[in-house]
Amino acid sequence: MESLKLSDWANNVAPSPTLAVDAKAKALKAAGEDVCGFGAGEPDFDTPAFIKAACIQALNEGKTKYCPAPGLPQLRAALAEKHIRDNKIHGVTADQVIVSPGGKFSCYLGVMATCSPGDEVIIPAPYWVSYPEMVKLAGATPKILLADDSSNFKLTPEQLKEAITDKTRMVILNSPSNPTGAVYTREEVEALVEVALEANLYILSDEIYEYLLYDGVTHVSPASLSEEAAARTITVGGFSKSFSMTGWRLGTLVAHPEIAKAVTRLQGQMTSNATTFAQWGALAAIEHPKQSRDAIDEMLVSFDCRRLTLLEGLSSVDGVTCQRAQGAFYLFPNISSFGLSSTDFASRLLEEEKVAVVPGIGFGADDYIRFSYAVADSTIDEGIRRFKAFCGRL
Ligand SMILES: *Cc1c(COP(=O)(O)O)cnc(C)c1O
């Protein structure tokens, strides 16, 4: 048989390193090993019961058919209100809202709708693993700008300004951030948006962790800053992280009506609508903000407690420094003093101590590893003990 030829798209796309670590840790666990898994990028809570109930009711009522490509009209209308209320984006209408099969797909649609071959997209590192790959799949070129722990993992307006060329089409912002947990302040968002608008860039704002905040910080949506900012910003959100609905595959996208129309055309050809009965469940989450807020707050109490335990544990290890992240559910300690690549560090940590973390190289930052604290308290205590023992031997 002749060798099977794959496309350039398939050959050039990197496998997701976060999913890879999770798979390796799960395989070890299945083989009976006692693994402390910090690799997971999902909450360890169940989906709130009232959301599941609404989905089950939809199934029982036979809501099992296609719906319009951009989403259930009721859900789009409710999400328009949500973006006015919570994200403070002025006058959002239902025709600006798309419901997609996941925040990840929303990001991809946003890039596909606005970026062409030859365009450059600025991505601050440490970045979420999928951004550079999406940009490449759209035929555009990722331009990575490192914002390390010396700047609290935040891109500065000077850095952004300096990197813009006449080919730059978009900048991707992700606050609160995966993998660093960094949250941009209002002033920081304002300064970045000002530079982006001056250069006529699009802003892809990935706000999937918008409700997962600690230390009293607030989330600021770039699209809330001005009419011009709203017109140039594609706001991505979703249900996976805030409502513990990762397996439901539901994301959102809010953009200028022209962009939303383009996104609808793309989604219509690429997948049709997101799962219909899942959207009926999501509608319950958006239509009952009080119940949703309570469910999120309950989760946040646990997350915050674990964040502080993990932060204290990691900071107490000789040779490790760790920023006090104020969002999402990750810490991103610096392990560069040990002189190992993040991949070697993470593989040895998994082999020798059965502790699974994600190497920073996958996020474009080889001096770090990522711990998720969306794990049981007992895992955190035991994981820190093993991590200390491991670092002590290096
Ligand atoms: C988890 C995640 C998403 C999207 O997740 P979905 O499950 O596809 O909704 C998007 N951006 C970041 C930064 C994430 O961590």
Side-chain angles (χ1 to χ4, degrees), residues 102-104 128 131 174 178 206 208-209 240-241 249-250 330:
K104 185 178 275 189
W128 184 45
Y131 300 141
N174 173 216
N178 175 6
D206 182 349
I208 194 96
Y209 295 99
S240 288
K241 310 296 161 58
R249 310 309 307 127
L250 283 179
Y330 308 104

Side-chain angles (χ1 to χ4, degrees), residues 153-167:
F153 298 121
K154 291 175 188 178
L155 183 70
T156 65
E158 294 76 28
Q159 254 182 314
L160 176 59
K161 196 165 198 168
E162 208 165 284
I164 293 171
T165 70
D166 51 10
K167 290 185 183 154

